[in-house]
Amino acid sequence: CASTPPAPKEIPPRPDRESLQKFALNGRVAILQGTKSNTVRLAWEHAGESDAIGFASPLGSLLAELQRTRTGAIWLTADGERYEARTADRLITRLTDTPVPIDSLILWITGRVGGRAENILRDPFGRIQSARDEGWEVRITAYESELPNALPRNLEVEYPGLRLKIIVEEWLL
Amino acid sequence: GAIDQLNQFLDATKTASASFSQKVISKTGKPGQSASGTMSFLRPGKFRWEYTKPYSQLIVGDGAKLWSYDKELNQVVIKPMSAALGATPAALLAGSNDLKKNFTLKEDGSADGLEWVEALPKSNEAGFERVRIGLKDNLPQAMEVHDNFGQTTLLQFSGFVRNPALATGSFSFTPPKGADVVGE
């Protein structure tokens, strides 16, 4: 079953994950895909339909930021370039080559899957452990605690040619 | 002034080691992630920057390549040395003459008991907008890295030892068995 980390520092009680409209997190992501593989820090602020996803160096200096609102998305880079598109999924290919479904990633990173997900496996606490969703293999390998509504700490999502390993160090709700 | 202290430090220091603490201040002023660890370097061009809290991540510049190993992600990323500056300020302090060649240095007054120098990269490939280095007794005590998004990383050094004997192999890295090795 999903391994849970050593006694986590005081984790505040979590709301029901289905009701999560707003969250912020700090963590790291390993991007595995041929030459563009990399490990970057992740700083994500989500509120309703808008997102600010920062990709930073180990030092915390932002390398690029993906901003998304209901009307469109922008990709900003450290050396001043700016790219706009209707959807964020395409813009993230500046980092990942393969489009990543941001709406699905929001579900996965909070321990949920979409309505069409299949092969859903749950752990003894009733939380999603793995599933297949929108063509992606989703594996949540650790939760922040053993509570039923605990938020994920480690997850891996994989699509042919691209694997993302994400560690959430800190949830800010 | 600070530039003299910096030059004195660069000229008189072949090896160095110190502990560091790092705090990221977001553009909205909200304190972000903080981390700490140890660093050492061997001039010119070799350095070791190791995060031990809250996670384990090692960055080694062996003079030819930049290795960064994230233990929990079990991934080693290999990059050219040119990517070093953006990854860690140790590269700045350990660089052969990186500072004088690739940066414009300006006296930036004194504050918090330190004399400060501001270093502006001459190219926009450095991955940050500018760096401030605070010195005392010809040793860097603090650094501020201002990125291109208005975010600042504050670094405090402690236990700075000048020219210590360093373990051989401090500046070479061999990926552990089973780790994903990516990059160059």
Side-chain angles (χ1 to χ4, degrees), chain A residues 28 39 59-60 62 153 165, chain B residues 70 72-73 75 147 151 153:
Chain A
R28 308 193 302 288
T39 300
L59 211 49
L62 275 176
R153 175 182 158 67
K165 288 198 278 189
Chain B
D70 187 303
E72 210 177 350
L73 288 169
Q75 173 158 295
D147 76 5
Q151 197 161 275
T153 299

Side-chain angles (χ1 to χ4, degrees), chain A residues 28 30 32 37-39 41 45 57-62 65 76-79 153-154 163 165 167 169, chain B residues 22 24 27 30 33 51 55 57 59 70 72-73 75 77 79 86 89 145 147-149 151 153 180 182:
Chain A
R28 308 193 302 288
L32 279 130
S37 298
N38 204 349
T39 300
R41 287 202 54 75
E45 288 186 33
S57 71
L59 211 49
S61 300
L62 275 176
E65 187 169 53
L76 301 165
T77 71
D79 37 33
R153 175 182 158 67
N154 297 11
R163 181 154 60 106
K165 288 198 278 189
I167 291 174
E169 295 159 13
Chain B
Q22 168 181 304
V24 179
K27 49 188 177 245
K30 209 159 38 63
Q33 169 255 10
Y51 291 99
Y55 52 85
Q57 186 169 47
I59 303 170
D70 187 303
E72 210 177 350
L73 288 169
Q75 173 158 295
V77 179
K79 285 191 179 160
V145 182
D147 76 5
N148 297 294
F149 289 81
Q151 197 161 275
T153 299
D180 294 315
V182 295

Side-chain angles (χ1 to χ4, degrees), chain B residues 26 28 31 62 67 69 75 80-81 114 136 153 159-160 168 170 176:
Chain B
S26 75
T28 56
D62 65 8
W67 307 76
Y69 168 53
Q75 173 158 295
M81 274 308 278
L114 305 176
K136 195 173 93 184
T153 299
F160 214 110
T168 53
S170 298

Side-chain angles (χ1 to χ4, degrees), chain A residues 82-123:
Chain A
R82 177 191 173 93
Y83 302 89
E84 294 192 30
R86 207 176 42 72
T87 77
D89 299 6
R90 287 229 58 76
L91 281 176
I92 198 142
T93 55
R94 305 208 69 79
L95 186 69
T96 58
D97 272 356
T98 311
V100 177
I102 301 293
D103 285 323
S104 297
L105 189 53
I106 289 169
L107 293 179
W108 302 334
I109 209 162
T110 50
R112 299 175 276 176
V113 283
R116 290 195 297 273
E118 309 149 341
N119 314 352
I120 300 175
L121 263 178
R122 291 182 181 275
D123 69 9

